[in-house]
Amino acid sequence: MTFSDPQPFVLAIHGGAGTIRRDALTPDLTEGYHAGLRRALAAGHAVLADGGSALDAVTRAVMALEDEPLFNAGRGAVFTAEGRQEMDAAVMDGRDRAAGAVAGLFGPRNPILAARAVMEHSEHVLLIGEGAMDLCRHQGLAMEEAPYFFTQPRWDALQAELERRRSGTPDDGDEQRRHGTVGAVARDRDGNLAAATSTGGMTAKAKGRVGDSPVIGAGTFADNITCAVSATGHGEHFIRRCAAHEIDARMRWGGQSLERAAGGVVEELGVIGGSGGLIAVDRDGRVALPFNCSGMYRGVIGGEGRAMTAIHREDYRAG
Amino acid sequence: MTFSDPQPFVLAIHGGAGTIRRDALTPDLTEGYHAGLRRALAAGHAVLADGGSALDAVTRAVMALEDEPLFNAGRGAVFTAEGRQEMDAAVMDGRDRAAGAVAGLFGPRNPILAARAVMEHSEHVLLIGEGAMDLCRHQGLAMEEAPYFFTQPRWDALQAELERRRSGTPDDGDEQRRHGTVGAVARDRDGNLAAATSTGGMTAKAKGRVGDSPVIGAGTFADNITCAVSATGHGEHFIRRCAAHEIDARMRWGGQSLERAAGGVVEELGVIGGSGGLIAVDRDGRVALPFNCSGMYRGVIGGEGRAMTAIHREDYRAG
């Protein structure tokens, strides 16, 4: 799906990609996803319409998605094999490639703000674990306890996955359980690009496993010259292919359009088993939202302020 | 410095780059660095001469550098601001882009083997902290206690840096203190490429700070189609530029030679304050070892088995 007309300002978001089973999506749940996406689009659009920066817009949009329990980031993050939650996030500013990322974090209400704190209040790009927590506390980020982040569906999903492993039942291929992530990319009125990604990782993941989300160049990337990208999918493959930066490379050195570069990378990831998708915006405000699996929770909003959201390969709903 | 003739098999290594002050390098210390580099070259060369893989060669070479207290990786790793040691490492196989990386690790005698364990014995690419340690223990990696890793010069360097910060003295610009890293790249007889990088990070670094070494595409990268790269330098800039993967991109999509791509990336890093260097090998066995600071501990050994080592911009010594 492509929005190939240039836009003066535009925001695209995703809430994860994978095998999204239609039979598990009740009408209420479907509407819940669309409503959650619309709220995030509205939050980011308000920033852009007010002349704010792409960086602030993607931050606000991701905060909204983190606050929404349906998505696997912040509140509603999945559980590790040990029944804990470990969150990763990254943000990148296309103006100067300033970037911040955190991994293995638990506590900040909005992990994306932890990533921004690393970018804006440290000399570093990537901080992990307790070191990241020290910075968050020092910066006074809002913290939450375990009950805030807990959601029954995620806990049930962990129990089901652990039971599946105990019983030796083959994986049902429900990649959505594995790949939940949220992200946003934007172009602001000044032509600046930014990207942000946040995730709880994979249900029943090993302690300390870090996927592509906080890896600059893999799950998150932005450069005003080319594009801003936020990915969601089988993180290990996205890291090995340097997926987000590969799109920049094809545009910068190969002269490809955003649509061709983003589509090509996602298609090739699919060939090697890297299920997932990504959202991307170029310097002129064109948007691409390719995915190689059955669905990706996604949305776009441009200058006219009409929120467009979709889940499967289907017409977008106008909000 | 470039070794632009194709080689049937070749190994290049580095032991860090930065402002390497000649007045601090006594003849004995200089000889110690050259000898340490030669030992690592010999270890990797033995693998390649015996028909072994590039992956095994870079692993052996980095193990030798980790075992050498003069270099900032494994034994001899620098200390964090809290007086601890946190090590990062990554390895990547150019045959299929299999990769493994660890960050924030303390315990394994050879952190590069922890990275290989992630690659070969987990479904993941990046494991951090205790999660990585669990895998290392499960795989039976050799462990060491703090006294093994301790070296007086690194401890003294931490005290000097902490004192400098307390007294408000300006940084003396000794980037070597900040940027120590070791790494290796190789091409084997079968044309396969591999890269490995290992580091103790920056002296007095913040707890949890992760540089470019374990970030696939930033400090470590390998793909048989293009090149294998291991970087050393101001890690944050290397992450933001996706330095290692950018070389792949310029070769793949821009049609550049290894020498031009690697040299261009290192030069551009220097312009934005990203002091450092890298080693790279292409599919034909050409080697590039560019750096934008005063020196880089480095060495190359080809099919003929003659170890060539250098520190500053100077003629290589034949070992």
Side-chain angles (χ1 to χ4, degrees):
Chain A
M1 178 58 63
T2 306
F3 292 80
S4 53
D5 292 332
Q7 291 281 332
F9 63 92
V10 66
L11 168 74
I13 61 173
H14 70 77
T19 304
I20 302 174
R21 289 165 49 194
R22 286 176 190 270
D23 58 356
L25 273 183
T26 63
D28 277 1
L29 193 54
T30 300
E31 181 44 43
Y33 279 116
H34 281 280
L37 291 167
R38 283 196 300 267
R39 279 192 291 273
L41 287 172
H45 180 265
V47 173
L48 294 172
D50 198 38
S53 70
L55 180 64
D56 285 338
V58 296
T59 303
R60 293 298 304 188
V62 167
M63 288 175 69
L65 293 164
E66 287 175 336
D67 292 345
E68 168 56 61
L70 282 175
F71 299 110
N72 173 20
R75 187 179 202 179
V78 300
F79 291 90
T80 68
E82 297 185 330
R84 303 173 68 91
Q85 290 162 306
E86 295 181 349
M87 304 176 202
D88 309 329
V91 62
M92 190 159 183
D93 187 339
R95 288 177 287 202
D96 57 359
R97 289 210 191 185
V102 291
L105 206 67
F106 180 81
R109 182 184 181 99
N110 291 106
I112 197 65
L113 293 183
R116 264 197 82 159
V118 172
M119 181 174 100
E120 296 176 341
H121 301 291
S122 86
E123 297 179 329
H124 304 306
V125 168
L126 176 55
L127 281 179
I128 63 177
E130 273 307 304
M133 287 300 297
D134 285 352
L135 178 70
C136 293
R137 284 186 281 257
H138 189 256
Q139 290 298 322
L141 262 60
M143 297 288 172
E144 297 288 351
E145 304 288 333
Y148 170 79
F149 295 106
F150 179 92
T151 58
Q152 194 65 44
R154 300 300 190 195
W155 186 256
D156 294 345
L158 172 64
Q159 303 312 317
E161 171 64 10
L162 294 177
E163 175 55 30
R164 185 192 69 74
R165 292 182 185 181
R166 271 191 297 266
S167 67
T169 310
D171 194 323
D172 66 357
D174 182 353
E175 293 148 339
Q176 172 56 23
R177 190 189 59 232
R178 301 172 63 88
H179 300 168
T181 303
V182 308
V185 295
R187 177 198 196 273
D188 62 30
R189 288 183 194 274
D190 297 323
N192 296 313
L193 307 183
T197 311
S198 181
T199 187
M202 294 163 34
T203 293
K205 69 182 176 185
K207 183 169 63 178
R209 179 263 185 183
V210 178
D212 62 312
S213 302
V215 177
I216 299 300
T220 307
F221 182 80
D223 188 323
N224 277 3
I225 302 293
T226 52
C227 59
V229 180
S230 172
T232 174
H234 191 148
E236 280 70 16
H237 285 294
F238 282 65
I239 294 176
R240 292 161 62 188
R241 304 309 300 184
C242 304
H245 184 251
E246 178 67 17
I247 297 171
D248 165 278
R250 293 180 187 200
M251 296 175 71
R252 186 185 302 262
W253 299 104
Q256 295 186 12
S257 67
L258 178 80
E259 180 176 3
R260 185 172 163 212
V265 167
V266 167
E267 186 181 335
E268 291 164 29
L269 277 162
V271 170
I272 60 167
S275 167
L278 55 84
I279 54 174
V281 59
D282 74 6
R283 57 192 294 177
D284 297 317
R286 297 181 190 88
V287 173
L289 306 92
F291 53 96
N292 60 32
C293 41
S294 73
M296 179 167 76
Y297 302 101
R298 62 201 187 277
V300 181
I301 192 164
E304 82 298 340
R306 195 169 61 147
M308 307 288 287
T309 57
I311 300 178
H312 292 95
R313 295 185 192 281
E314 62 192 356
D315 291 339
Y316 278 69
R317 289 193 193 181
Chain B
M1 175 61 61
T2 306
F3 292 80
S4 53
D5 292 333
Q7 292 281 331
F9 63 92
V10 66
L11 169 74
I13 62 172
H14 70 76
T19 303
I20 302 175
R21 289 165 48 195
R22 287 176 190 270
D23 57 357
L25 273 182
T26 63
D28 277 2
L29 193 53
T30 300
E31 180 46 41
Y33 280 116
H34 281 281
L37 291 167
R38 282 196 301 270
R39 279 192 291 273
L41 287 172
H45 180 265
V47 174
L48 295 173
D50 199 37
S53 70
L55 180 64
D56 285 338
V58 297
T59 304
R60 295 296 306 186
V62 166
M63 288 175 68
L65 294 164
E66 288 175 336
D67 292 345
E68 168 56 62
L70 283 175
F71 299 111
N72 174 21
R75 187 178 202 180
V78 301
F79 291 91
T80 68
E82 296 183 331
R84 303 172 69 91
Q85 289 162 306
E86 294 181 349
M87 303 176 203
D88 309 330
V91 63
M92 190 161 185
D93 188 338
R95 288 176 288 201
D96 57 359
R97 290 209 191 185
V102 292
L105 206 67
F106 180 81
R109 182 185 182 100
N110 291 108
I112 196 67
L113 294 183
R116 266 198 80 162
V118 172
M119 180 172 98
E120 296 175 343
H121 302 291
S122 86
E123 297 179 328
H124 306 306
V125 169
L126 177 54
L127 281 179
I128 63 177
E130 274 307 302
M133 287 301 296
D134 285 352
L135 178 70
C136 293
R137 283 186 282 258
H138 190 257
Q139 290 297 322
L141 263 59
M143 297 287 174
E144 299 288 350
E145 303 288 333
Y148 170 81
F149 294 106
F150 179 91
T151 58
Q152 193 66 44
R154 300 300 190 196
W155 186 256
D156 294 345
L158 171 63
Q159 303 313 317
E161 172 63 12
L162 294 178
E163 174 55 31
R164 185 190 69 72
R165 292 183 185 181
R166 270 191 296 267
S167 67
T169 310
D171 193 324
D172 66 356
D174 182 352
E175 292 149 339
Q176 171 57 20
R177 189 189 59 233
R178 301 171 65 88
H179 301 167
T181 303
V182 308
V185 295
R187 178 197 195 271
D188 63 30
R189 289 182 195 275
D190 297 324
N192 296 314
L193 307 183
T197 311
S198 180
T199 187
M202 294 165 32
T203 293
K205 69 182 175 184
K207 184 170 60 177
R209 178 263 184 183
V210 179
D212 62 314
S213 302
V215 177
I216 299 300
T220 306
F221 182 79
D223 188 322
N224 277 3
I225 302 292
T226 52
C227 60
V229 180
S230 172
T232 174
H234 192 149
E236 279 71 14
H237 285 294
F238 282 65
I239 294 175
R240 292 161 62 189
R241 304 309 299 183
C242 305
H245 184 252
E246 177 67 17
I247 297 172
D248 165 280
R250 292 180 187 201
M251 296 175 71
R252 185 185 304 261
W253 298 105
Q256 295 187 12
S257 68
L258 178 79
E259 180 176 2
R260 185 172 163 213
V265 167
V266 168
E267 185 182 334
E268 290 165 28
L269 278 161
V271 170
I272 61 166
S275 167
L278 55 84
I279 54 174
V281 59
D282 75 7
R283 57 192 293 176
D284 297 317
R286 297 182 191 88
V287 173
L289 305 95
F291 53 95
N292 61 31
C293 39
S294 73
M296 178 167 75
Y297 302 101
R298 62 200 188 278
V300 180
I301 193 164
E304 81 298 339
R306 194 169 60 147
M308 307 287 286
T309 56
I311 300 177
H312 293 96
R313 295 185 192 280
E314 63 194 353
D315 291 339
Y316 278 69
R317 288 192 193 183

